[in-house]
Amino acid sequence: MSDQCCAGKSGTTALNDPKWRRVLWIALIVNAGMFAVEIVAGVAADSRSLQADALDFLGDAANYAISLGVAGMALAWRARAALFKAATMLAFGLGVLAATIWGFMSGTAPHAETMGIIGVSALVANAAVALMLYRWRTGDANMRSVWICSRNDAIGNLAVLAAALGVFGTGRGWPDLVVAAIMAGLAIWGSLEVFRQARGELAVA
């Protein structure tokens, strides 16, 4: 692309939990690896939804790196980092929306089998990351943004699989484009959630 529990610590406490950092490192590595896989497959299959999901993986990897950098800082700095990540989520959503509009105009049909295989792999990766991050889903805006990214990714992967089935059944590219548009909407909605919470935390700080 998003609600969190801070393992008993309040959102106004600087959090540098070793378990949190370890999970972030795992999430970063998984997302960077899946970006490489999906961007190649998305271009090869001419799938807008796979390409959108690949860019989402790249954005998430960058966001996890930022979260690692500010994990032990004061709330104000974590809130500022969350604002930056919300801006990247918004930019991603708008970019995918523009690519989707272009796809509707070009009218190409992607390769459904490739979409399905890569979609399943991405879903497994994102579901594992989301499960690891679940316990921190109601923390501060920085932690919330991480959870939102992971949640949106898993939803997006299910949508990619639905698009693959739609392309396979119809022989047309519109299911792929519809899913890409939904993923753009998720990213935009998630960014607004994080913006609201981060601004509130900055006001408190």
Side-chain angles (χ1 to χ4, degrees):
M1 129 208 317
S2 324
D3 305 83
Q4 286 139 300
C5 137
C6 194
K9 303 195 178 186
S10 102
T12 59
T13 302
L15 180 64
N16 199 15
D17 185 345
K19 292 181 180 178
W20 164 247
R21 294 181 65 86
R22 184 162 54 249
V23 169
L24 282 182
W25 273 113
I26 294 171
L28 192 161
I29 293 168
V30 169
N31 277 263
M34 285 306 303
F35 161 72
V37 171
E38 263 199 327
I39 195 65
V40 172
V43 171
D46 195 26
S47 168
R48 295 295 188 280
S49 62
L50 276 184
Q51 291 172 35
D53 204 34
L55 292 176
D56 196 24
F57 272 121
L58 179 62
D60 288 350
N63 284 341
Y64 295 143
I66 293 170
S67 293
L68 281 165
V70 301
M73 294 183 180
L75 177 64
W77 285 105
R78 286 182 279 136
R80 291 186 186 105
L83 283 174
F84 176 76
K85 290 191 287 182
T88 64
M89 290 168 67
L90 180 61
F92 160 75
L94 294 175
V96 170
L97 196 58
T100 302
I101 294 171
W102 174 259
F104 272 114
M105 294 172 62
S106 64
T108 56
H111 193 268
E113 289 81 359
T114 301
M115 290 175 64
I117 292 169
I118 301 300
V120 169
S121 302
L123 177 60
V124 171
N126 277 321
V129 169
L131 285 173
M132 288 189 293
L133 291 168
Y134 183 78
R135 64 180 294 190
W136 291 284
R137 71 193 183 283
T138 53
D140 59 32
N142 182 53
M143 300 177 86
R144 184 175 174 80
S145 69
V146 170
W147 164 252
I148 289 174
C149 285
S150 301
R151 181 198 68 184
N152 285 357
D153 286 349
I155 295 172
N157 295 146
L158 289 172
V160 169
L161 291 176
L165 288 173
V167 171
F168 183 78
T170 64
R172 299 180 180 273
W174 65 262
D176 180 60
L177 299 174
V178 168
V179 166
I182 291 171
M183 292 171 70
L186 277 172
I188 294 169
W189 173 51
S191 72
L192 296 178
E193 284 190 83
V194 177
F195 267 127
R196 281 195 297 268
Q197 184 171 347
R199 288 182 64 185
E201 289 175 1
L202 276 176
V204 170

